[in-house]
Amino acid sequence: MKNKHEVIIVGAGPAGLSAAKVLADNGIKTLVLEKTKKGASKNFYSGIISEEHMKGIFTNFFDSSGGKIMAPFERFVDQYRVYILQEDSFTSFNVQNNKQNSYIVLREPFNQWLIKEVQKAGAEVITETAVKNLIINDGKISGVKTDSGEFFANVVIIGEGVNPVLTKSSGLRAGEFKSNQIFSFVEEDISMSAETIEERFNLSPFHGISAKLFTQGIPDMPGIGYIHTNHNSISIGAGMLFSELISRNINPNECLERLKEHSCIKPLIANGTTKNYCSYMLPVLTLKNQNDKFLKLFSNGCLIIGGAALITDMLSWDVSAVAVLSGKAAAQTVIKAKELNDYSSNTLSHYIHLVKAIHELPHDPNPDMLNNFNNAVLQRK
Amino acid sequence: MVKTIEEKIFLIKSCPDTESHIKVNQDICTICTGKECTKFCPANVFAWSPVNNKLIVGYENCLECGLCTVGCPYGSIRYEQPKGGFGRI
Ligand code: SF4
Ligand code: SF4
């Protein structure tokens, strides 16, 4: 059969590329299809990557001596900071992170590095190719239809992110979220000199801050936000429960603009130049609390990973960690299926056990204290 | 400092297709009272034209977040993946 691989992965984000790397390392013929030019970087601009799970999969994360990081990053996360904003005051606290075990990265260069590593391991990556449909033969998913032809495989792994058009259109997910099941976010990247950032945030060179903002105390802006200090820009995002945003008639951008005007935030971004803007949704409904009828994580010849599988954790600091782990879990499942030469849902169902364990794992670089704080804030909501 | 959606969209790299990846059912939109999409879309893609009695879809500005498929209370929006290499690139 033409264009036949063992595994096709839809989407070159952290989940899909992690799956591809593990598969290629195990000698499995893998193809990654990605709609954009450079790999999933359209929805977030920057993020936190913790080395804990990354370095096991992407073994070139550090150089061979194990000391120097090889992946492109902006700054070490030196401090985790929590801001609690009130209308005209704020409180904040820091948790110092001396371990240098997590990094602020810009998605685009980081993702391109991941793609190169996946290619070096032997997987094929085709960009600018959107998957339109799944190909189903005798009740088994056996490939994908793209706008530049058909591709076939034993297993299709869907890692298309939090706006999963294919997952929905192919009936693997039953319908749409309700507006009270997601947060809408917008993010802006504001450039300024590295020195200005270090002065304003009281940082040494190459050290950075990952901050979470809680704004429930402000009557017109109940929600959350975040700030990452990149090398010479600041990424700032604001999110709100989508149903609240709709009922208050506000736009996600207004939410962000209000945050930017707050007396706590304004001086941090003053005189910066906005150079990017993006938007995304994050489900509050996650694998942990979803009803099994809403989403099928596996079927005959198919597995779903990352955001498309509702494997997200909005309040964690490294939001991609759970996606990475789900990609790895899918790869392990496929490796086992290959041994048994059986790609039916029966064998692939093994994935569920691996995935359910992800949420139990400590997947976040943040200290317990912040987890407890997160839980307290969530319960209050 | 840049504030409005229009100013921000101007900064973004994208490569719009000639055909819209977002389709709406104008029959539903005409009788929709809230026109929520014209308020919640972070890229102001939707605008109601009273003159033409029609919802205008400026898909070229779309950020591909998918919020509109959740936010339209009547399921009038059909969102498809832009073609490979088109849209946000
Ligand atoms: S798309 Fe939905 S919200 Fe917008 S006008 Fe049409 S029916 Fe109303
Ligand atoms: S996907 Fe997002 S940016 Fe695009 S039209 Fe829908 S709500 Fe607007």
Side-chain angles (χ1 to χ4, degrees):
Chain A
M1 203 182 283
K2 208 173 80 156
N3 283 335
K4 170 92 187 185
H5 291 77
E6 290 180 81
V7 180
I8 290 171
I9 297 172
V10 182
L17 293 170
S18 299
K21 179 70 167 59
V22 175
L23 289 168
D25 281 344
N26 281 277
I28 292 181
K29 195 174 175 228
T30 303
L31 169 68
V32 182
L33 296 169
E34 164 60 35
K35 177 236 163 201
T36 64
K37 249 187 203 134
K38 295 177 181 160
S41 51
K42 67 182 194 299
N43 291 124
F44 327 86
Y45 196 71
S46 86
I48 304 302
I49 294 289
S50 53
E51 69 184 34
E52 193 183 345
H53 304 291
M54 236 343 138
K55 68 181 180 198
I57 300 173
F58 291 89
T59 39
N60 293 333
F61 197 81
F62 294 108
D63 68 1
S64 49
S65 70
K68 188 166 167 282
I69 174 170
M70 302 304 282
F73 74 105
E74 296 292 301
R75 290 170 185 270
F76 295 104
V77 181
D78 178 56
Q79 288 167 42
Y80 293 101
R81 183 176 292 180
V82 171
Y83 288 99
I84 301 163
L85 305 189
Q86 299 292 330
E87 202 151 11
D88 23 50
S89 65
F90 69 94
T91 326
S92 72
F93 66 88
N94 276 341
V95 178
Q96 190 70 31
N97 179 37
N98 291 329
K99 289 193 210 133
Q100 298 206 335
N101 59 358
S102 50
Y103 312 87
I104 300 164
V105 303
L106 294 180
R107 294 277 167 189
E108 197 173 301
F110 187 73
N111 219 71
Q112 278 180 287
W113 181 83
L114 293 180
I115 289 179
K116 278 208 198 86
E117 290 300 310
V118 160
Q119 286 170 326
K120 272 196 245 162
E124 193 182 338
V125 181
I126 305 182
T127 57
E128 295 184 80
T129 302
V131 172
K132 292 288 171 199
N133 296 110
L134 297 174
I135 299 172
I136 303 172
N137 276 326
D138 297 331
K140 184 192 169 297
I141 294 166
S142 59
V144 297
K145 221 175 255 166
T146 73
D147 36 29
S148 49
E150 296 183 338
F151 297 89
F152 296 91
N154 297 328
V155 183
V156 175
I157 298 179
I158 303 181
E160 57 179 341
V162 286
N163 180 15
V165 183
L166 180 66
T167 309
K168 286 190 284 179
S169 69
S170 55
L172 293 164
R173 199 178 99 181
E176 204 38 81
F177 289 124
K178 294 186 179 58
S179 59
N180 64 2
Q181 291 174 327
I182 60 164
F183 265 66
S184 62
F185 278 89
V186 287
E187 181 177 315
E188 199 174 306
D189 191 48
I190 301 171
S191 67
M192 63 187 75
S193 73
E195 294 74 33
T196 308
I197 292 172
E198 284 148 20
E199 193 191 303
R200 287 181 186 177
F201 289 86
N202 196 14
L203 295 165
S204 319
F206 303 110
H207 289 205
I209 277 190
S210 172
K212 287 202 181 298
L213 317 169
F214 293 93
T215 58
Q216 281 98 335
I218 306 176
D220 249 353
M221 215 193 105
I224 57 182
Y226 56 89
I227 290 178
H228 302 144
T229 55
N230 306 316
H231 179 62
N232 51 16
S233 70
I234 290 173
S235 295
I236 175 166
M240 189 164 170
L241 192 66
F242 194 39
S243 52
E244 286 189 26
L245 186 115
I246 293 175
S247 67
R248 285 158 206 254
N249 255 330
I250 33 185
N251 188 281
N253 182 51
E254 263 172 80
C255 219
L256 177 59
E257 284 305 320
R258 281 182 195 168
L259 189 63
K260 281 165 66 187
E261 284 298 317
H262 191 279
S263 58
C264 162
I265 306 299
K266 207 173 176 178
L268 299 174
I269 56 172
N271 302 321
T273 311
T274 300
K275 55 174 195 186
N276 218 320
Y277 174 63
C278 49
S279 167
Y280 58 98
M281 61 168 125
L282 274 185
V284 184
L285 180 83
T286 64
L287 198 61
K288 257 192 288 193
N289 51 18
Q290 72 130 356
N291 146 1
D292 280 338
K293 289 198 191 82
F294 185 66
L295 178 74
K296 277 170 124 172
L297 284 186
F298 65 92
S299 80
N300 261 338
C302 180
L303 292 168
I304 307 183
I305 58 175
L310 301 183
I311 301 171
T312 55
D313 188 353
M314 187 162 67
L315 285 178
S316 75
W317 298 77
D318 173 356
V319 286
S320 63
V322 285
V324 165
L325 290 173
S326 74
K328 184 176 164 188
Q332 287 166 337
T333 307
V334 171
I335 292 166
K336 195 161 178 190
K338 187 180 176 182
E339 280 165 23
L340 302 169
N341 192 25
D342 173 10
Y343 301 95
S344 67
S345 52
N346 204 1
T347 319
L348 297 185
S349 68
H350 179 60
Y351 174 59
I352 294 290
H353 304 292
L354 299 178
V355 153
K356 292 241 154 107
I358 291 175
H359 280 289
E360 315 302 324
L361 276 176
H363 53 258
D364 211 25
N366 66 347
D368 286 346
M369 179 182 160
L370 293 186
N371 274 332
N372 292 340
F373 178 79
N374 281 344
N375 291 340
V377 168
L378 260 194
Q379 261 149 33
R380 202 171 62 97
K381 271 229 59 156
Chain B
M1 188 177 267
V2 160
K3 282 189 168 46
T4 66
I5 290 177
E6 284 64 29
E7 290 170 312
K8 292 183 189 184
I9 296 292
F10 185 71
L11 302 168
I12 293 170
K13 284 176 283 181
S14 81
C15 175
D17 199 351
T18 48
E19 198 192 330
S20 176
H21 63 289
I22 303 164
K23 303 206 169 66
V24 298
N25 182 332
Q26 295 288 352
D27 295 338
I28 299 177
C29 296
T30 313
I31 51 173
C32 163
T33 46
K35 309 265 193 285
E36 283 83 351
C37 62
T38 63
K39 294 162 203 146
F40 67 65
C41 168
N44 277 351
V45 162
F46 306 96
W48 177 253
S49 161
V51 181
N52 301 311
N53 200 32
K54 201 179 156 191
L55 190 73
I56 313 283
V57 183
Y59 69 92
E60 298 90 343
N61 291 345
C62 177
L63 297 168
E64 299 177 24
C65 62
L67 283 172
C68 49
T69 58
V70 181
C72 168
Y74 305 109
S76 171
I77 296 176
R78 219 178 75 224
Y79 179 95
E80 278 172 13
Q81 185 79 271
K83 289 196 197 89
F86 287 99
R88 301 296 312 279
I89 46 171

